[in-house]
Amino acid sequence: MFKKSALALLSGSLLIAAACSNGSGQQEPGKAAKPEEKEAVAKKEPVELVFYDGVSDYTEERFMREIGEPIKKKFPHVTPRFSPFTKLTQVQDLISAGQPPDIIFASSGLFNDVINKYNMQTDITPLIQKYKYDLGKIDPVSVDMMKEMSKGGMYALPTLMSPSPIYYNKDIFDKFGVPYPKDNMTWDDLYELSKKVTRKDGSVQYYGFMVSFQHLMVRNQFSLNMVDPATDTTSFADEKWNKMTANVARFFELPGVEPTQQKLSAGTMRDMFTKDKTLAMLLPVSTLYTEKELGGMNWDMAAFPEFKELPGVGPQPYPISFYMTATNKHRDVSFEVIAFLASEEYQLPMVKQGQFPTALASETLRNSFGQDTAMYKGKNVKAMLPAKYAKASAFTKFNNLARNQLQYALEANVLQKKDVNTALREAAERANAAIKAEKAK
């Protein structure tokens, strides 16, 4: 706490009467300060807030550049401190050490693993009301997702958004004289295009299209639930899960692909696209590639493909939100900081620099992505975010158990040649057994 000099204190005492008579807002002698006045004073006291990287994608330098320094500039009395991600169980370690974070920023997909699992969530609805934060500023489907996650409350403010474009290598299309991908393609259109660039040139095998299946299932356009929240059992018997799985499997069954478990992993797909440059189109579903990763490639983007029965419907949102923790002792200051991060004031310069797409509903932010950086000059940046998100699926603490089994179902179908129905039925059996075991704990 900053200390005042004795002279300043004496001067302040002599000026109280004059201040009360001239409407300056100073406290009258013998009259207790109102709660809101105490709060106003408390806000200006130095506060350290520990931010935990539940995204698992930040260095301290990046955190300070994109998040910490803007906070310090807006709130000089706040010192943001970065706590890096090292493993999924790290939050438990921090709690056990008596050093729990104040704010965790994480994607919706990691909510269960880094927050819900340790009961670190807390409803910030009273603070939203107290500070009159307008939830209408945020993409409405993301707000619905947060309310679903928190059973009607709000655990966080969705702030940043994971992108969802198809990245493609123009040079591969040029090599084979094939037209580039375009927006508003159906999955069938994409499949036909993939056929044309899945071919061998000399000793080099080129691949048409790959997608991170687990991420795709989390953001599935049919808004299918991983787990039925009423029964805590999987929903894989729904015929649309069959359609989603078969839809992806066919891309790996094209002649020349020769699928392996390694090729079905998101990391291998990324390397094939960014390093080997043998993959024509990649849908990572939730990744924003850097200039370094795409260096030396003649690349562009196309919008997320659509199902013909769902025209205009993109994936479910996959926001990165700032969660105040249940152990937070600076709730008011923390909320003001979170509300600032979920504002156009903070986001506009970052969005213009291409640091991240927005989870806000602002058309200004959507239309400004990357305009101040050479990396996105001439690129189809509107493909970053869909015009319309699919409705959010149900959140349960068992979603990730089910998601893992869906990956195994795809592998069984593609690698072991099991029919999709059998692969999904066996995946459901394994997932339900895992859920039952988890509940027994």
Side-chain angles (χ1 to χ4, degrees):
M1 184 183 297
F2 297 118
K3 294 183 179 179
K4 299 179 180 179
S5 68
L7 178 61
L9 288 171
L10 177 60
S11 300
S13 299
L14 294 174
L15 291 172
I16 285 177
C20 290
S21 64
N22 66 16
S24 69
Q26 292 285 343
Q27 180 185 334
E28 296 179 20
K31 184 177 180 180
K34 295 178 182 179
E36 58 268 26
E37 291 171 344
K38 289 182 178 180
E39 177 67 24
V41 172
K43 288 177 188 174
K44 301 303 179 185
E45 298 292 350
V47 174
E48 181 181 84
L49 296 179
V50 178
F51 287 75
Y52 175 71
D53 173 20
V55 180
S56 73
D57 197 31
Y58 279 72
T59 61
E60 183 167 9
E61 185 277 330
R62 180 187 174 192
F63 169 80
M64 291 306 299
R65 182 182 72 249
E66 296 183 13
I67 299 173
E69 292 301 334
I71 290 173
K72 288 170 66 177
K73 183 177 180 181
K74 179 70 174 180
F75 304 99
H77 59 295
V78 175
T79 300
R81 186 162 68 82
F82 178 66
S83 181
F85 176 97
T86 59
K87 56 182 178 178
L88 278 179
T89 58
Q90 187 178 2
V91 173
Q92 179 59 63
D93 296 338
L94 293 171
I95 295 170
S96 299
Q99 301 172 338
D102 299 298
I103 295 170
I104 297 175
F105 56 106
S107 66
S108 53
L110 283 173
F111 167 74
N112 278 326
D113 285 334
V114 300
I115 300 170
N116 191 34
K117 184 176 181 180
Y118 306 109
N119 294 314
M120 290 294 280
Q121 67 273 18
T122 184
D123 188 4
I124 61 172
T125 300
L127 290 164
I128 292 172
Q129 295 169 345
K130 177 178 180 178
Y131 289 95
K132 297 180 173 58
Y133 182 87
D134 180 10
L135 291 177
K137 295 177 182 178
I138 301 173
D139 166 70
V141 185
S142 297
V143 173
D144 291 343
M145 174 182 282
M146 191 59 59
K147 288 184 179 295
E148 161 66 27
M149 182 189 297
S150 53
K151 310 307 177 189
M154 289 290 288
Y155 289 152
L157 296 181
T159 305
L160 322 178
M161 185 62 74
S162 299
S164 55
I166 299 170
Y167 289 88
Y168 65 92
N169 186 332
K170 287 185 172 183
D171 287 341
I172 295 177
F173 287 88
D174 292 342
K175 175 185 287 291
F176 299 120
V178 176
Y180 299 144
K182 57 186 179 181
D183 294 344
N184 306 119
M185 287 189 301
T186 66
W187 281 98
D188 290 339
D189 294 334
L190 184 62
Y191 179 66
E192 294 302 319
L193 187 61
S194 183
K195 283 182 183 179
K196 296 176 181 177
V197 286
T198 301
R199 52 202 292 184
K200 201 165 188 177
D201 182 58
S203 61
V204 180
Q205 176 65 51
Y206 290 94
Y207 305 86
F209 171 81
M210 291 184 180
V211 57
S212 174
F213 184 66
Q214 286 195 51
H215 286 92
L216 181 65
M217 297 300 99
V218 170
R219 302 187 69 180
N220 75 84
Q221 289 153 287
F222 290 104
S223 304
L224 300 169
N225 294 333
M226 294 278 182
V227 176
D228 183 342
T231 63
D232 286 341
T233 58
T234 66
S235 305
F236 299 167
D238 190 311
E239 64 178 14
K240 291 188 179 66
W241 279 120
N242 184 308
K243 182 179 182 67
M244 291 286 296
T245 306
N247 176 56
V248 171
R250 60 178 170 164
F251 288 93
F252 291 95
E253 293 167 350
L254 288 172
V257 174
E258 297 181 3
T260 62
Q261 188 172 31
Q262 187 177 22
K263 286 179 183 175
L264 291 174
S265 74
T268 297
M269 295 176 196
R270 180 193 62 228
D271 289 344
M272 291 169 68
F273 185 73
T274 62
K275 296 180 181 179
D276 303 338
K277 296 181 174 56
T278 55
L279 177 58
M281 297 177 285
L282 174 62
L283 181 56
V285 183
S286 62
T287 299
L288 184 67
Y289 286 118
T290 65
E291 188 169 13
K292 182 179 179 180
E293 288 172 310
L294 299 177
M297 183 189 298
N298 184 17
W299 65 279
D300 207 338
M301 300 174 288
F304 202 95
E306 305 168 4
F307 283 99
K308 57 185 177 183
E309 59 266 54
L310 294 173
V313 177
Q316 296 178 48
Y318 198 75
I320 293 170
S321 306
F322 286 77
Y323 298 81
M324 188 185 305
T325 62
T327 53
N328 187 305
K329 293 181 174 61
H330 309 287
R331 291 176 63 84
D332 285 270
V333 175
S334 295
F335 181 79
E336 288 190 293
V337 168
I338 290 171
F340 167 64
L341 296 174
S343 73
E344 191 170 307
E345 174 190 358
Y346 159 70
Q347 291 198 16
L348 187 57
M350 296 293 176
V351 169
K352 284 183 175 181
Q353 293 166 23
Q355 300 290 358
F356 52 75
T358 185
L360 303 187
S362 166
E363 287 300 316
T364 298
L365 291 174
R366 276 178 163 255
N367 295 333
S368 299
F369 182 84
Q371 68 180 215
D372 286 353
T373 177
M375 176 181 176
Y376 291 105
K377 186 176 182 180
K379 305 300 183 186
N380 181 24
V381 293
K382 70 178 185 295
M384 274 284 172
L385 301 174
K388 180 181 179 180
Y389 285 108
K391 179 179 177 292
S393 301
F395 265 84
T396 80
K397 64 176 64 177
F398 308 115
N399 276 15
N400 288 356
L401 291 175
R403 180 196 66 192
N404 293 340
Q405 294 303 327
L406 281 171
Q407 177 71 19
Y408 299 145
L410 177 71
E411 292 174 4
N413 176 239
V414 173
L415 303 179
Q416 301 171 27
K417 305 304 178 184
K418 287 186 179 180
D419 67 89
V420 177
N421 286 328
T422 300
L424 287 172
R425 185 184 69 250
E426 293 176 352
E429 291 170 355
R430 292 191 300 268
N432 290 334
I435 291 170
K436 186 176 180 179
E438 185 67 23
K439 292 178 72 172
K441 294 180 182 179

